[in-house]
Amino acid sequence: RIRPLGGGEAMERRAGGRSVERTGPIRFRTTFRNVIYDVFKARNWKETDSDADWDVAWIDTGWMREFFDSMHLEEHQLINHFRNHYELTRKDLLIKNLKRMQRSLVREDRLAEAARFEFYPQTYVLPADYGLFVEEFKQQPGAFWIMKPIGKAQGKGIFLFNKLSQISDWKKDSRWKPSASRDPQEQAPQAETYVVQKYLENPLLIGGKKFDLRIYALVTSYSPLTVYLYRSGFARFSNSRYQITKNTLTDNYVHLTNAAIQKTAPGYEKDVGCKWPLRSFKLHLISQFGVARIDELFLGIQNIIINSLLAVQKVMINDKHCFEVYGYDIMIDDMLKPWLIEVNSSPSISADSQADYDLKYGLLDDVYTILDPE
């Protein structure tokens, strides 16, 4: 049951096993000055810069790494990341957990369930899997692959290739190997880790352009798994018409749909943008393919989200103080099959248009309606 919202009401909190009556607004802590700040202020919550004396905190993942383990949170405090969120949101660990879940189901002879996890592209982690990747690469001559650094966002460091010679610059960086010593001081530097994935060469196109979907999921608990999917979202489009040839191989404006990249494209129209509301997108697809096929498509997207969360459920550190808003990036091929591209632990909550602001404001406001810290 969701109670009516409103700031400034008397609240009952628990501290040290006893109830404590306190009057006054919710206290929030955040360094962000964007949509989340507006949501907090609109609820008449009070900002604090205290490191410990707050009710809700919206912080970045770096803060979690640095401070969370050394903190003691009171019963009522809420924070917007799980301790090891990276099990789902770091590209290499996501793939590791999905593959492990699949293998486990196959060993248990639950083949139909294992088949439900075939929603991510063929993937290898480099440099660890380089030998295996080269073997597979040679089995698929002429195929296109995409390299992604595991620790970067907004399309940074991503490139396509279809010849091993085209990753020679990366291989130069990967010449370092760890020494035999277990002493960290004697370890040689390691190359930056990448994932390499089979590039989806047959994406569904609209107006000749490539796109992906941003879907938002709120997880309030991993034990039991409790997830809410936000009805609104958007499709992100490339600025250039799609074609996959050797001449377009290095053109990120053709292949990458990240808004941060597309905003710098020649001819980009700021007033138009590169996003289309999910509802309008869905209605367009229904007009093209019919209700039944699009309902099946969106059910498939929902199952991708649920199964990816199940894949990390056992390794995720559940904490009653923690929740997470994940941004799922989904691509659709020309057979209307959805594919998981990545999961973001810090999806952008800044807005580049009024429609974008309204969507993200509604998302974050609903998150705190569900969490109900009041």
Side-chain angles (χ1 to χ4, degrees), residues 334-351:
D334 57 10
M335 300 299 290
L336 294 185
K337 173 180 170 62
W339 296 84
L340 176 61
I341 303 303
E342 65 178 320
V343 187
N344 299 274
S345 61
S346 298
S348 172
I349 51 174
S350 296

Side-chain angles (χ1 to χ4, degrees), residues 39 54 56 84 100 163 170 225-226 233 262 277 304 317 363:
V39 168
W54 42 263
V56 298
N84 58 335
R100 184 183 61 219
K163 297 178 182 178
W170 174 85
L225 179 60
T226 308
Q262 294 301 327
I304 285 176
I317 301 171
L363 164 69

Side-chain angles (χ1 to χ4, degrees), residues 65-215:
R65 287 193 299 270
E66 189 170 354
F67 298 110
F68 186 78
D69 287 345
S70 62
M71 289 190 67
H72 170 74
L73 296 181
E74 299 294 340
E75 182 79 14
H76 63 279
Q77 290 180 297
L78 291 171
I79 197 164
N80 64 309
H81 293 294
F82 286 94
R83 171 63 183 85
N84 58 335
H85 60 86
Y86 45 79
E87 293 285 351
L88 180 68
T89 59
R90 212 176 80 177
K91 299 177 183 71
D92 58 333
L93 297 180
L94 168 64
I95 295 301
K96 181 194 76 172
N97 286 313
L98 290 174
K99 288 182 176 180
R100 184 183 61 219
M101 186 71 166
Q102 259 188 311
R103 289 195 300 268
S104 174
L105 292 170
V106 169
R107 282 196 301 268
E108 296 172 12
D109 205 28
R110 296 158 65 182
L111 302 184
E113 291 178 63
R116 295 174 191 165
F117 283 81
E118 294 175 0
F119 53 69
Y120 57 95
Q122 191 173 7
T123 305
Y124 298 89
V125 178
L126 303 185
D129 296 337
Y130 185 74
L132 292 173
F133 163 66
V134 170
E135 287 184 26
E136 185 60 36
F137 182 91
K138 292 177 179 178
Q139 295 295 318
Q140 303 186 49
F144 289 85
W145 298 79
I146 185 167
M147 289 271 284
K148 304 175 183 180
I150 64 166
K152 295 181 180 178
Q154 298 183 326
K156 295 174 183 175
I158 297 177
F159 62 93
L160 274 67
F161 66 97
N162 65 346
K163 297 178 182 178
L164 290 178
S165 60
Q166 292 165 333
I167 61 172
S168 58
D169 288 342
W170 174 85
K171 287 175 67 179
K172 290 176 184 176
D173 290 338
S174 66
R175 66 187 183 277
W176 299 106
K177 302 294 182 185
S179 71
S181 172
R182 293 182 177 273
D183 185 348
Q185 299 298 320
E186 297 179 16
Q187 291 284 327
Q190 292 239 37
E192 182 177 12
T193 302
Y194 276 70
V195 294
V196 59
Q197 294 182 317
K198 182 76 182 303
Y199 185 64
L200 190 65
E201 298 181 34
N202 62 322
L204 181 66
L205 304 178
I206 294 180
K209 296 181 179 181
K210 183 179 175 181
F211 64 89
D212 69 357
L213 301 182
R214 168 56 60 84
I215 308 292

Side-chain angles (χ1 to χ4, degrees), residues 10-13 19-23:
M11 296 177 293
E12 183 180 87
R13 298 202 179 106
S19 296
V20 178
E21 191 73 21
R22 179 187 181 278
T23 58

Side-chain angles (χ1 to χ4, degrees), residues 6-7 28 36-45 357 361 365:
F28 72 88
I36 188 64
Y37 186 81
D38 293 348
V39 168
F40 289 157
K41 296 296 284 187
R43 287 171 170 260
N44 295 319
W45 293 355
Y357 180 93
Y361 188 98
D365 193 49

